[in-house]
Amino acid sequence: MVSVSDAQAIILNLVQPLDCQRDTEVVELLTADSRILATPVTSPLDFPHWDNSAMDGYAVRYEDVQHSSAEQPTVLEIVEDIPAGYQPKSTIQPGEAARIFTGAVIPAGADTVVMQEKTRRDENRVYILAAPKLKEFVRHKASFYQAGTQLLPAGIKLNTSEIAVLAAAQCPKLSVYRRPRVAIFSTGDELVSVEQPLQPGQIVDSNQYAIAALVKESGAEPLLLGIVKDDPVTLEKVIAHAVAIADIVLSSGGVSVGDYDYVEKILQSLSAKIHIRSVEMRPGKPLTVATFPSRDAINRVSTHSALYFGLPGNPAAVLVTFWRFVLPAIKKISGITEGWEPMFLKVRSHDELRSDGKRETYLWGKLHLIDGVYEFHKAGGSNSSGNLINLAQTDALAVLPVGKTLISPQEEVQVLQISNR
């Protein structure tokens, strides 16, 4: 049994990111949200595209107005009005100014903008009532970005701000990594689908639905392979098929030491290398992690080895192990260059939290912002690995390390945030 930190290190070391040469596709900018950029982006445009005004006011020559004051204002002749989107026709000469609006092009001859609040206009003349700074309120061409240099690096997730930048830079198409393919199946004779009526002793396979939703949220593509009965021959065929079509394979159930838990034997028969058999955590102890020999180029996915996660069967344990281990692996394989590791926060606990201290323990609950400080509120009812019901509406996991048996109310606790809702 390995520690949680060692398990994380083993898993992330096993992950092979998608290949920037083989595993990419070109997408339209409108469909690029949440995709991972595969190649750096440059633009032929400077930002700003030209010298422009950062303020409504008057474009002037600094040397004309540098001694202006309310007592001795400088009087200039207004020779042109320059709204945004208009190309100036005039060159500002000594004693002249142009009325200008935010974003408009600075006319030739001008080097400074005086904000309108520090002026007074009288027909075609403007009185400058305070001396500006040299080049004040002028945004210079290429001061934000110079054409031809790197605009965005490869390996980043394209969120709203990046999409806005790419649109402004006139980048209508992008090379992005394909979505990682994640094969999902559940094992167990006791499992039935949501459409089937329950018979005594049967359980609805909620795991496959939960895992598929989590995989979609992560930006990967779920490949649903259904429920596999406790038959070694069938199970071996499904695992072999999953390894052939996916980057990551997720099974739930069948990885403990029961008489009908065949997964480990089947992995060995398929020449898999098992790296983890159990983890020192609660819930989630029976976690298997394995890799398979590299696939050849005949397959539709790249030639790196598939990464297999044999998750526990209990529903809460499935979710906890996914958030703790599988999600970081999906992030790394997706092509993101950094930030795959789980992110923990230190917050105040509203409730008393208990553990036997023998294994790293995860308790689910909800974060509340109280007077500017986050508090963790433990979910009501049992935090049993088989209790899926009280996981609804939770957004964080409190972590009690090995040896820690009690966290008192108002004491600090480390939490793993599992949702942004």
Side-chain angles (χ1 to χ4, degrees):
M1 187 161 55
V2 301
S3 69
V4 173
S5 59
D6 285 347
Q8 175 182 304
I10 291 169
I11 291 166
L12 290 179
N13 284 334
L14 291 172
V15 173
Q16 301 176 50
L18 295 175
D19 191 307
C20 63
Q21 301 298 321
R22 299 174 55 90
D23 298 312
T24 61
E25 58 189 16
V26 176
V27 298
E28 301 286 340
L29 181 59
L30 282 173
T31 63
D33 183 48
S34 297
R35 301 301 297 270
I36 310 301
L37 194 60
T39 57
V41 174
T42 61
S43 173
L45 302 175
D46 290 314
F47 285 85
H49 309 318
W50 45 75
D51 290 357
N52 72 90
S53 177
M55 189 69 64
D56 291 349
Y58 294 87
V60 300
R61 289 160 26 100
Y62 175 74
E63 61 186 281
D64 287 343
V65 300
Q66 59 182 312
H67 302 300
S68 302
S69 66
E71 294 76 22
Q72 292 184 312
T74 301
V75 183
L76 303 173
E77 181 185 0
I78 301 170
V79 295
E80 189 173 17
D81 278 10
I82 308 174
Y86 173 80
Q87 180 61 41
K89 303 295 191 296
S90 303
T91 297
I92 303 303
Q93 303 294 336
E96 295 180 345
R99 177 73 168 116
I100 197 166
F101 297 87
T102 302
V105 177
I106 300 292
D111 58 10
T112 301
V113 172
V114 180
M115 62 189 300
Q116 65 183 21
E117 290 83 355
K118 294 182 179 180
T119 67
R120 176 170 58 84
R121 183 167 180 170
D122 182 11
E123 296 183 346
N124 68 332
R125 292 180 298 176
V126 61
Y127 292 77
I128 309 300
L129 305 177
K133 297 177 182 178
L134 176 62
K135 300 181 180 180
E136 190 169 23
F137 300 123
V138 175
R139 295 184 291 217
H140 292 281
K141 178 181 179 180
S143 60
F144 301 161
Y145 168 79
Q146 186 174 0
T149 60
Q150 181 173 285
L151 181 65
L152 293 176
I156 63 169
K157 187 176 182 180
L158 298 175
N159 293 317
T160 303
S161 56
E162 289 79 19
I163 295 295
V165 168
L166 291 165
Q170 293 189 317
C171 299
K173 295 185 178 181
L174 303 164
S175 176
V176 299
Y177 286 102
R178 65 168 174 81
R179 299 183 188 277
R181 301 184 181 103
V182 181
I184 303 166
F185 63 92
S186 303
T187 66
D189 288 340
E190 74 279 14
L191 300 177
V192 296
S193 69
V194 295
E195 297 88 2
Q196 293 177 260
L198 278 178
Q199 301 298 323
Q202 292 183 329
I203 303 171
V204 176
D205 176 25
S206 63
N207 288 346
Q208 189 158 190
Y209 292 89
I211 295 171
L214 289 168
V215 167
K216 286 181 181 178
E217 287 177 10
S218 75
E221 176 187 355
L223 307 174
L224 302 182
L225 303 183
I227 297 170
V228 183
K229 298 300 182 182
D230 288 322
D231 171 61
V233 175
T234 303
L235 190 54
E236 182 170 344
K237 289 180 180 178
V238 172
I239 293 177
H241 173 62
V243 169
I245 64 172
D247 304 293
I248 292 176
V249 179
L250 303 178
S251 69
S252 63
V255 292
S256 63
V257 292
D259 292 341
Y260 296 98
D261 294 335
Y262 305 114
V263 170
E264 182 167 333
K265 293 179 181 178
I266 292 170
L267 294 177
Q268 292 171 339
S269 72
L270 292 172
S271 302
K273 181 176 181 180
I274 299 176
H275 302 271
I276 296 173
R277 287 179 169 83
S278 63
V279 180
E280 194 176 12
M281 66 185 295
R282 175 179 286 119
K285 175 185 173 183
L287 173 70
T288 297
V289 178
T291 51
F292 292 82
S294 297
R295 305 184 296 278
D296 59 39
I298 295 174
N299 295 301
R300 67 188 182 101
V301 294
S302 60
T303 58
H304 61 254
S305 172
L307 180 60
Y308 175 87
F309 289 87
L311 305 178
N314 282 322
V318 166
L319 296 181
V320 171
T321 51
F322 185 98
W323 285 316
R324 190 63 184 83
F325 300 119
V326 180
L327 182 57
I330 292 176
K331 287 181 178 180
K332 184 174 180 181
I333 203 172
S334 71
I336 295 175
T337 53
E338 60 183 2
W340 332 293
E341 298 88 351
M343 298 293 291
F344 293 93
L345 304 174
K346 287 187 176 180
V347 304
R348 188 171 60 201
S349 179
H350 176 268
D351 305 296
E352 181 178 276
L353 307 177
R354 287 189 172 273
S355 163
D356 63 10
K358 296 178 181 179
R359 285 181 270 160
E360 188 164 297
T361 301
Y362 292 75
L363 304 174
W364 44 95
K366 194 171 182 64
L367 291 175
H368 293 266
L369 192 60
I370 310 294
D371 296 329
V373 177
Y374 276 111
E375 269 191 0
F376 175 80
H377 291 233
K378 181 176 172 287
S382 167
N383 263 225
S384 163
S385 62
N387 183 9
L388 182 63
I389 301 304
N390 69 346
L391 264 165
Q393 299 298 301
T394 59
D395 60 11
L397 298 173
V399 184
L400 277 69
V402 175
K404 184 75 171 180
T405 59
L406 172 67
I407 290 179
S408 302
Q410 305 307 305
E411 187 179 344
E412 191 176 73
V413 63
Q414 190 175 57
V415 301
L416 173 64
Q417 193 168 6
I418 58 176
S419 173
N420 292 322
R421 64 170 177 257

